[in-house]
């Protein structure tokens, strides 16, 4: 568990640095995809999923 959390933190830091530079290259995109896979295997995944579901519900209920 400690190893996967440290990998998630490392990949999160790398993704933030890549995004702040303004250019997301293919290698940077791979890091972001790996971050997603590692986040999916942590205990944070249900919270992220419920947050995204709630946001999607709010957006879909808006009338233009």
């Amino acid at each position: 568990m400690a190893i996967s959390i440290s990998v998630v933190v490392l990949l999160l830091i790398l993704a933030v640095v890549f995004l702040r530079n303004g250019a997301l290259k293919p290698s940077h995109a791979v890091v972001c995809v790996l971050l997603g896979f590692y986040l999916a295997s942590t205990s944070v995944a249900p919270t992220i999923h419920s947050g995204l579901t709630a946001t999607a519900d709010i957006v879909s209920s808006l009338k233009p």
Side-chain angles (χ1 to χ4, degrees), residues 13-40:
I13 291 169
L14 286 173
V16 169
V17 167
F18 291 152
L19 289 173
R20 294 197 85 200
N21 285 339
L24 191 64
K25 298 176 183 174
S27 61
H28 303 157
V30 169
V31 170
C32 291
V33 168
L34 289 175
L35 172 63
F37 280 113
Y38 277 110
L39 277 176

Side-chain angles (χ1 to χ4, degrees), residues 1-60:
M1 181 66 166
I3 292 173
S4 66
I5 290 176
S6 63
V7 170
V8 169
V9 171
L10 173 67
L11 289 174
L12 180 63
I13 291 169
L14 286 173
V16 169
V17 167
F18 291 152
L19 289 173
R20 294 197 85 200
N21 285 339
L24 191 64
K25 298 176 183 174
S27 61
H28 303 157
V30 169
V31 170
C32 291
V33 168
L34 289 175
L35 172 63
F37 280 113
Y38 277 110
L39 277 176
S41 67
T42 63
S43 61
V44 182
T47 305
I48 293 171
H49 180 44
S50 63
L52 289 174
T53 303
T55 303
D57 289 340
I58 291 171
V59 169
S60 67

